[in-house]
Amino acid sequence: MKFEGTDSYVAEKDLTIAVNAAIRLERPLLVKGEPGTGKTELARQVAASLDLDLIEWSIKSTTKAQQGLYEYDAVNRLRDSQLGDERVNDISNYIRKGKLWTAFEAEQRAVLLIDEIDKADIEFPNDLLQELDRMEFYVYETGEMIKARQRPIVIITSNNEKELPDAFLRRCFFHFIRFPDMETLQRIVDVHYPGIKQSLVREALAQFYEIRDTAGLKKKPSTSEVLDWIRLLVADDVAPEDLRGDARNALPKLHGALLKNEQDVHLFERLAFLARQRG
């Protein structure tokens, strides 16, 4: 079982090495990187490449680790008991299986994506240490031990919004997705938009990297945002020479796809004003 990338996902060699190392070691793969660099999509492409089912667990600030295992609906059971419902005699009727339970009981190996783990409380990763390490957990309400039939391939993503506990990090294989260079990004664009005019791509990417390198920029545009931007440029039939002129004299054309806060918009407005003053 080896991941080598797919036709629709450009995976650098060090990324494929990391994925395959995590599979061989049977450890979770922790993937960090800027938002929009393809961390979540990686799990989907690994599942597609290896012909495995994908189970996605998207983490929010209110998510608790227990929800990934199971939840006991005591309120619903109390209501049913008051109504005389016979379902109350079987407590398993009120156990809701979480994403880990679903992955553990799958007949065939699955890919389990724990997406944006750094959004949750700082204790969240520690609360999953034993379950991810031993691939089992205990259901206290029913007295049963749930063990993984097939050890899932676990991919965990983080935007690096907060530090993860050392004990958790020790149990993971780590990989940081660097922002792609221009050559790699051009390959990514070609995958998404085959047959696109290369002159437009070259000019757009040159301007894109100039924008990313602008001093004082609060939020650098990501891979997904440049793909949206190029899609709009193609849809509006923007010529490469028009893009060059726009870059010298004003905000980037269709800048709303790249600049996502007013501070960065004001920054480019000031730069454009200074450029016009200099003639």
Side-chain angles (χ1 to χ4, degrees):
M1 185 171 287
K2 188 175 181 181
F3 175 66
E4 296 179 344
T6 67
D7 292 339
S8 58
Y9 187 85
V10 177
E12 293 292 283
K13 184 178 180 180
D14 58 346
L15 178 56
T16 60
I17 290 173
V19 171
N20 293 317
I23 293 173
R24 286 196 298 271
L25 292 172
E26 295 188 331
R27 288 190 177 276
L29 173 63
L30 174 61
V31 184
K32 290 187 178 183
E34 290 183 32
T37 49
K39 301 184 298 296
T40 301
E41 187 62 24
L42 171 65
R44 296 168 182 159
Q45 295 299 326
V46 169
S49 173
L50 302 179
D51 195 23
L52 302 176
D53 290 334
L54 174 66
I55 300 170
E56 297 190 43
W57 185 16
S58 298
I59 307 303
K60 301 178 181 179
S61 60
T62 55
T63 303
K64 302 299 180 184
Q66 180 64 33
Q67 294 172 307
L69 307 179
Y70 69 92
E71 291 182 275
Y72 169 50
D73 191 351
V75 174
N76 200 20
R77 191 184 186 202
L78 175 61
R79 185 189 63 188
D80 287 350
S81 67
Q82 293 171 338
L83 297 174
D85 195 323
E86 293 185 359
R87 295 175 71 249
V88 299
N89 297 321
D90 185 357
I91 197 171
S92 64
N93 290 323
Y94 304 92
I95 300 292
R96 299 175 184 170
K97 297 178 181 180
K99 298 295 185 179
L100 266 72
W101 190 332
T102 302
F104 285 5
E105 72 174 3
E107 293 289 343
Q108 297 183 350
R109 197 174 196 182
V111 174
L112 172 63
L113 168 63
I114 304 177
D115 200 22
E116 298 189 336
I117 194 172
D118 53 327
K119 281 187 176 180
D121 184 84
I122 188 62
E123 291 302 321
F124 180 91
N126 281 335
D127 292 340
L128 289 177
L129 284 179
Q130 179 172 312
E131 289 76 12
L132 291 177
D133 198 26
R134 299 185 180 180
M135 286 288 149
E136 64 180 28
F137 63 89
Y138 188 72
V139 183
Y140 292 95
E141 288 77 7
T142 62
E144 59 182 326
M145 179 68 77
I146 305 299
K147 297 184 178 182
R149 295 179 181 176
Q150 302 284 339
R151 192 178 188 97
I153 298 172
V154 181
I155 297 178
I156 303 170
T157 71
S158 169
N159 288 327
N160 230 6
E161 292 183 5
K162 64 169 68 81
E163 290 296 323
L164 299 175
D166 288 344
F168 180 79
L169 294 175
R170 284 197 299 271
R171 289 167 169 82
C172 297
F173 191 94
F174 173 77
H175 182 75
F176 182 82
I177 297 182
R178 298 180 182 86
F179 195 83
D181 57 25
M182 187 177 292
E183 180 182 348
T184 303
L185 191 51
Q186 179 148 4
R187 288 166 53 204
I188 294 173
V189 172
D190 291 341
V191 165
H192 284 80
Y193 308 121
I196 190 173
K197 294 179 181 177
Q198 291 303 305
S199 57
L200 175 61
V201 174
R202 286 191 296 271
E203 192 60 48
L205 292 185
Q207 186 175 351
F208 171 73
Y209 278 98
E210 288 177 6
I211 293 170
R212 274 187 59 89
D213 293 339
T214 300
L217 197 64
K218 184 176 181 181
K219 182 192 178 301
K220 294 183 178 182
S222 67
T223 307
S224 60
E225 288 161 341
V226 73
L227 290 174
D228 289 343
W229 185 51
I230 290 176
R231 179 181 178 185
L232 290 172
L233 295 177
V234 172
D236 282 9
D237 198 22
V238 176
E241 54 272 19
D242 293 338
L243 202 56
R244 284 194 294 272
D246 206 61
R248 286 192 300 269
N249 300 315
L251 282 163
K253 189 177 289 292
L254 300 167
H255 64 271
L258 298 175
L259 306 178
K260 298 303 177 73
N261 62 68
E262 62 278 9
Q263 178 177 316
D264 290 342
V265 173
H266 293 332
L267 171 63
F268 276 88
E269 286 175 340
R270 289 195 298 272
L271 293 174
F273 175 75
L274 292 174
R276 287 194 294 271
Q277 280 194 323
R278 288 193 298 264

